[in-house]
Amino acid sequence: MAALLLVAACGGGDDDGAGGGAQPSASAQALGPEAFEAGPDSGWSNSGITVDAAKLDCTAPGGEPARGVTDTEIKIGGLITQSSTSGPVNAGMDVGAKARFSRANDEGGINGRKINYIGTRDDGADSARTLTEAQSLVADGVFAAVPAVVRTGNFADTFCKSGTPFFGWGVSAPYCNTAIGFGVTGCLVAEPDGPTISTTWAMAASGILGGITDKSVAFVGVDIDSAVNGINLAAKGVKAAGFSVPYSENPVPAAGLNDPTALVNDLMAADKGAPPDLIVTIVDFAPAIKLITALRAAGYEGKILTPLGYDPRLTGFKDLEDTYTLVQWAPVESGSAGVKQLEADFAKYAPGQPITLTAMAGYWSADFFLDAIEKTGPDLTVANLLKTLNGGSYSYHVPGAVGETQWPVNHNAAAPCASVVHLAGGKYTEAVKLACTPLYPNN
């Protein structure tokens, strides 16, 4: 079973996260339940927050301005953590990207150019390999890295010096405060004291629990920096909405969870001697299952929300029965036109690939890139692409399928959009349809 990069669901992360001159205009302390109500999946308010693109990192990337671009093609390569010592990671992400690129090519390409996708480099969850694989993409002359989804951010200098834009799931620090990095759902690894407050977990919790008043939410995370920051940021947003947060800790070792007994005992008494209404687990698949099983054995009757449970191969997995999963775009069950097109593309170009979160992440990352280069026009250079994306008027949105990102604001904030699915009776249903809230300053 494919593991996920958990920080993607956290909405917060690495040590060198957001900056870039975001200007707050209101106080998170003044927010209440109404501020976190679900709204349309586009047109969300940024509450006056601005990002000065000229103050971002890598505003003047080096390299050849149109490397990898000819009159007939655009050379693209991926950089993905696909394997690790604990097993496969991000399975299907490259397949999803290839499926979207294949349709683009069959339709004649973008502005007369077809995508030459040279494949994906796997860093094996090894920071040294991340660097060497990034260098190999540059040596192969790619115009951009799509998808670029790895745990560490040490590829940033290589891509900046070579002028290689990168698109993907924004789960590492270079997706924040960097002029050449573009996350399909924005910058997901902002610092807890960064310029914006996380709203998606509060919106999800409200939808699951049927409201906020007199409800409590506990967060349990793995003991790595990205998850620590992510949980802190998520808890801050949930508190601002009006939930109580009686437990917000990262007690699960990165190597795994041997005995959950002590943790379960803490959770069962966390809310003034009683269990919380909702427990959010930001941990890898194996410890999540171990914790969920132990909670139920201890008599926990509340709701459980994870970032891990959306995969068609899991519908018969009894340990995840009656759990909820936060999804950063619309699930297949939404039936929207954009999602139906995704399903059709997988059926035609990747018929053996399950439509999982990671496969969808690869597909939508490629779709984002294609949208950006199409709007840039025939004169495709790095400078012109960045002018399109960072000029202040570009947004990416697939109605009913992917919530809107607004640029350059989302260099320093996650898109305030999400959906939630519920696994029950061997099938998924939408508990919270894809929706967005306003983006609020964190001060």
Side-chain angles (χ1 to χ4, degrees), residues 352-439:
Q353 173 61 50
I355 302 178
T356 64
L357 276 179
T358 47
M360 295 176 87
Y363 180 94
W364 292 126
S365 297
D367 189 73
F368 179 17
F369 172 72
L370 293 172
D371 182 77
I373 62 172
E374 181 177 25
K375 291 176 180 175
T376 298
D379 188 9
L380 182 61
T381 64
V382 172
N384 286 343
L385 177 65
L386 297 183
K387 183 178 180 181
T388 297
L389 286 157
N390 295 331
S393 60
Y394 178 84
S395 65
Y396 170 71
H397 172 228
V398 182
V402 183
E404 183 185 35
T405 49
Q406 301 175 14
W407 301 91
V409 168
N410 284 119
H411 279 301
N412 284 345
C417 311
S419 66
V420 177
V421 293
H422 181 213
L423 178 57
K427 66 178 183 179
Y428 292 106
T429 57
E430 286 184 288
V432 178
K433 291 183 179 295
L434 179 66
C436 304
T437 67
L439 191 65

Side-chain angles (χ1 to χ4, degrees), residues 46-64:
N46 62 25
S47 301
I49 297 169
T50 60
V51 170
D52 184 350
K55 294 182 180 179
L56 297 170
D57 293 340
C58 197
T59 54
E64 301 173 27

Side-chain angles (χ1 to χ4, degrees), residues 254-319:
L257 182 64
N258 292 323
D259 184 356
T261 303
L263 175 53
V264 169
N265 289 341
D266 288 344
L267 289 169
M268 291 298 289
D271 189 7
K272 300 176 182 177
D277 297 297
L278 173 68
I279 295 176
V280 180
T281 65
I282 310 295
V283 298
D284 287 312
F285 190 85
I289 296 303
K290 188 174 289 188
L291 177 58
I292 291 168
T293 301
L295 281 167
R296 287 178 169 152
Y300 181 66
E301 297 180 351
K303 308 296 186 182
I304 297 173
L305 175 63
T306 84
L308 296 172
Y310 185 63
D311 184 319
R313 295 167 295 181
L314 294 175
T315 53
F317 196 65
K318 293 183 179 180
D319 289 329

